[in-house]
Amino acid sequence: MVRRKRSIGGAEGAALSPRIELALPAGEGAESPDLVALSRLLAALDVSPRMAAAASELDVSYRTAWGRIVAAERRTGLRLVERVKGHGSRVTDAGRALVAAVGAFEKEAERSLRGPMGKLSAGLAAISANAAPQALRLAASHDLLLQRCLAERLATGVAVRFVGSADALEALGRGEAELAGFHVPAGQRPAAPVLASGVRSFLAALARREQGLIVAAGNPKRIRDVTDLARPGLRFVNRQRGAATRSWLDRLLQEQGVDPGSIAGYEIEEASHLAVAATVAAGDADAGFGLKAAALRFGLGFVPIGVETYWLAGDSGLRRDARVRELIAAMRSLAGASEGYEVAGANAEAAAARPASSAARARVRTE
């Protein structure tokens, strides 16, 4: 006796498709022998009387192939295969009859179920089409508003991984992310990143934000600029290598002729603006380089150094994606209402659209 079993096949994330399985009934805790797979094995063995060859044709192991035969013979009480000394294995008349019966069933089932299966396939295709799209991968330099935007679900359908600006752009270029968030000093014109696929990319200016020295409340050490960081007894906390904030600081130190080795704590690194501010707030450092908004979050002092623009880049085809538009709108809205930030003007995007020099393109990669 056989029974028909309907199941839904397909790997996770792939379109669902209907499938009919033919199986023998099994006792509790036992596995139902798959008659279709068994008939395929018997048919292959009938053509080539070597179990190893039949197993290879069906892409199963020799042990698995024999296991299917033995399990089916125990379940049915029939001898399906005989071992012939010197001639391999021979399919019995009962085995051939089983192959024929399964083949006849499949043809009849296909004719009878063509209409219902077609409707089921269409229904499953509609489910797959209407399913929520996979989240866009965003590799981004750390930003307080971006972190808040996603944490509070002001923008959805985006999964962020915070890295340095250079790493974010490289991840986008390699196809490891659909979007990249990075920042450059205000006034610079970033070139649209080159994608591995050769597809054009878009640039959207999200916000302008103040960067400078985060110091203790009231600035008791009287820190005025980056040259003060090398004063004896002053402790500093740095951002990680690859962060655009770290690159900006290094450039300022070079312009002022300050040796990084003379700054106590220069080698101590934190991966976010909030972590830098928290270190200063805890009294473990006297100064750090980061966002004004991070200093305000902890009630700390702030010495302004400059303004930068935070950008979003991605495949040009995503510029009109609802998730991207929601993210851009939410970031700009928060920037307009948050101290230490302001909305990036439309002229920033217009400037970015103009051709940039090779030197400017190089700066975007290293800032």
Side-chain angles (χ1 to χ4, degrees):
M1 185 175 85
V2 298
R3 65 183 175 85
R4 287 177 291 177
K5 182 173 67 176
R6 180 178 297 168
S7 65
I8 302 300
E12 183 179 356
L16 298 174
S17 61
R19 178 165 56 98
I20 294 295
E21 292 183 351
L22 185 62
L24 288 170
E28 185 176 355
E31 183 177 354
S32 300
D34 184 340
L35 290 182
V36 173
L38 178 63
S39 68
R40 300 283 189 275
L41 177 58
L42 291 173
L45 189 60
D46 205 20
V47 172
S48 175
R50 299 289 178 184
M51 185 62 76
S56 177
E57 183 176 336
L58 297 179
D59 197 25
V60 298
S61 68
Y62 178 85
R63 180 178 179 181
T64 297
W66 267 116
R68 289 179 180 176
I69 298 293
V70 171
E73 287 182 337
R74 288 176 179 170
R75 178 64 55 188
T76 62
L78 300 173
R79 177 58 62 88
L80 303 175
V81 175
E82 291 179 341
R83 295 195 182 204
V84 181
K85 188 174 182 180
H87 296 281
S89 302
R90 184 178 67 85
V91 179
T92 66
D93 291 341
R96 293 191 182 94
L98 187 147
V99 172
V102 171
F105 170 83
E106 288 186 295
K107 290 180 180 178
E108 182 64 26
E110 183 181 358
R111 284 194 298 269
S112 302
L113 295 174
R114 188 171 296 146
M117 292 290 276
K119 292 179 180 179
L120 179 57
S121 293
L124 294 174
I127 293 173
S128 298
N130 294 328
Q134 186 174 3
L136 295 173
R137 297 170 297 173
L138 167 60
S141 175
H142 182 258
D143 180 77
L144 274 64
L145 296 190
L146 178 59
Q147 185 173 359
R148 176 185 168 189
C149 196
L150 297 178
E152 297 181 7
R153 300 186 65 79
L154 303 177
T156 57
V158 177
V160 68
R161 175 170 62 94
F162 286 119
V163 295
S165 283
D167 291 336
L169 289 167
E170 289 174 3
L172 175 65
R174 292 193 298 265
E176 297 171 0
E178 286 76 46
L179 301 169
F182 65 99
H183 56 94
V184 297
Q188 285 195 9
R189 299 192 318 235
V194 177
L195 307 185
S197 61
V199 177
R200 293 179 58 189
S201 58
F202 76 86
L203 280 170
L206 301 183
R208 287 161 59 91
R209 57 188 199 176
E210 283 191 75
Q211 285 256 44
L213 294 170
I214 299 174
V215 298
N219 195 5
K221 298 288 186 178
R222 298 291 182 262
I223 299 170
R224 299 303 178 191
D225 57 40
V226 295
T227 59
D228 291 329
L229 300 179
R231 287 195 334 227
L234 196 146
R235 301 162 302 160
F236 182 70
V237 58
N238 210 345
R239 286 294 305 279
Q240 82 278 17
R241 291 173 179 82
T245 298
R246 167 79 168 257
S247 298
W248 191 359
L249 171 67
D250 288 344
R251 187 174 65 253
L252 292 173
L253 293 175
Q254 183 178 21
E255 291 172 353
Q256 296 296 325
V258 178
D259 178 12
S262 66
I263 300 175
Y266 178 85
E267 70 286 353
I268 299 175
E269 301 177 350
E270 292 292 351
S272 71
H273 295 280
L274 287 178
V276 168
T279 302
V280 175
D284 294 328
D286 300 306
F289 196 69
L291 292 177
K292 178 179 181 180
L296 295 175
R297 182 79 62 89
F298 286 87
L300 299 171
F302 181 76
V303 180
I305 296 293
V307 178
E308 62 188 7
T309 304
Y310 195 94
W311 295 84
L312 181 70
D315 185 319
S316 59
L318 290 174
R319 183 61 178 86
R320 297 186 179 277
D321 187 289
R323 295 164 293 179
V324 173
R325 294 170 63 184
E326 184 181 48
L327 176 61
I328 293 173
M331 282 288 293
R332 289 174 174 171
S333 176
L334 288 178
S338 303
E339 191 172 358
Y341 285 86
E342 61 183 37
V343 179
N347 59 335
E349 288 192 45
R354 295 195 295 269
S357 67
S358 58
R361 286 193 293 270
R363 283 200 299 272
V364 172
R365 285 289 180 182
T366 58
E367 304 258 54

